[in-house]
Amino acid sequence: MQVMYFAWLRERIGVGAEEVSPPDDVTTVGGLIEWLKTRNDRYAAAFADTKAIRVAIDQEQADFDAEIKGAREIALFPPVTGG
Amino acid sequence: MAVRVQEADFDPGAELEALSSGDTEIGAVVSFTGLVRGAGITGMTLEHYPGMTEKALAEIETKAHARWPLQGALIIHRIGLLSPGARIVFVATASRHRKAAFESAEFIMDYLKTRAPFWKKEAGTDGTSRWVEARDADDSATERWQR
């Protein structure tokens, strides 16, 4: 699946999007973030405060409990500030 | 019903004219234009999530149409680098009567602020840059429509 990052999350991680293959026991968005945090210090720092993270699955708003099975595109980003 | 996400500036007068012309049922047109406030900044960069942005804005418009009898609605949001004073966002609604036009324009803006995936980064006059933080007041403004 593709994971996308926006705004300061993108800057802290260093890429805007990447293909990832989490293990089978990673089933939710929350689980995915915990798994990403184990990759290296940059991810761990970027996701240190998960209260500041919002999520969309296949371009629809979702929450941390949402299942990621079958998702094509998971986007993680700070609260939006448009308008 | 229309949604546009673009780098280019737009002409509010021409947009209002286009929205209201040709439909004599329309008795009220309301618009909101958001500008880049210049205090302490040299500019602002608007990032967004291509694809989801357009979907989210279209969903907000659909919600407004379901809630008020609207003859038309338009949302324009700019992206990229914008200077102080530049137009960022434009929302216009057209209805037979003013109440629906006023309320739906505010509804669309409140939802846009909290649901559409845009992020602002300000470049300060002191040479630093910072991501704008979301405001709790914007969440409260959206929540009041859900009561």
Side-chain angles (χ1 to χ4, degrees), chain B residues 89-100:
Chain B
V89 61
F90 184 73
V91 166
T93 54
S95 187
R96 290 171 59 84
H97 300 290
R98 72 180 185 281
K99 193 173 162 65

Side-chain angles (χ1 to χ4, degrees), chain A residues 7 10-11 61 73 78 81 83, chain B residues 47 49 118-121 131:
Chain A
R10 170 179 55 73
E11 289 182 343
Q61 273 198 19
E73 189 173 297
T81 55
Chain B
E47 177 173 332
Y49 179 178
F118 292 100
W119 300 272
K120 291 187 182 118
K121 189 178 196 180
W131 290 97

Side-chain angles (χ1 to χ4, degrees), chain B residues 7 36 42-47 78-83 86 121 123:
Chain B
E7 284 191 21
V36 178
T42 60
M44 178 179 274
T45 304
L46 263 293
E47 177 173 332
R78 294 180 68 193
I79 51 171
L81 182 60
L82 301 174
S83 303
K121 189 178 196 180

Side-chain angles (χ1 to χ4, degrees), chain B residues 47-58:
Chain B
E47 177 173 332
H48 80 125
Y49 179 178
M52 181 173 170
T53 310
E54 293 80 356
K55 254 163 97 169
L57 294 177

Side-chain angles (χ1 to χ4, degrees), chain B residues 17-109:
Chain B
E17 183 65 30
L19 184 67
S20 57
S21 67
D23 185 348
T24 52
E25 287 293 297
I26 294 171
V29 175
V30 165
S31 75
F32 171 85
T33 307
L35 308 175
V36 178
R37 267 190 308 273
I41 69 162
T42 60
M44 178 179 274
T45 304
L46 263 293
E47 177 173 332
H48 80 125
Y49 179 178
M52 181 173 170
T53 310
E54 293 80 356
K55 254 163 97 169
L57 294 177
E59 272 168 32
I60 294 167
E61 264 198 17
T62 301
K63 274 194 176 71
H65 275 273
R67 197 157 169 160
W68 290 276
L70 299 180
Q71 251 59 37
L74 171 65
I75 305 173
I76 304 174
H77 204 299
R78 294 180 68 193
I79 51 171
L81 182 60
L82 301 174
S83 303
R87 285 178 276 268
I88 306 176
V89 61
F90 184 73
V91 166
T93 54
S95 187
R96 290 171 59 84
H97 300 290
R98 72 180 185 281
K99 193 173 162 65
F102 271 125
E103 288 182 358
S104 58
E106 192 168 22
F107 171 92
I108 289 171
M109 268 313 297

Side-chain angles (χ1 to χ4, degrees), chain B residues 99-134:
Chain B
K99 193 173 162 65
F102 271 125
E103 288 182 358
S104 58
E106 192 168 22
F107 171 92
I108 289 171
M109 268 313 297
D110 285 345
Y111 267 79
L112 184 154
K113 290 230 98 92
T114 53
R115 298 285 195 278
F118 292 100
W119 300 272
K120 291 187 182 118
K121 189 178 196 180
E122 294 176 343
T125 48
D126 60 358
T128 64
S129 62
R130 64 167 199 108
W131 290 97
V132 172
E133 282 185 36

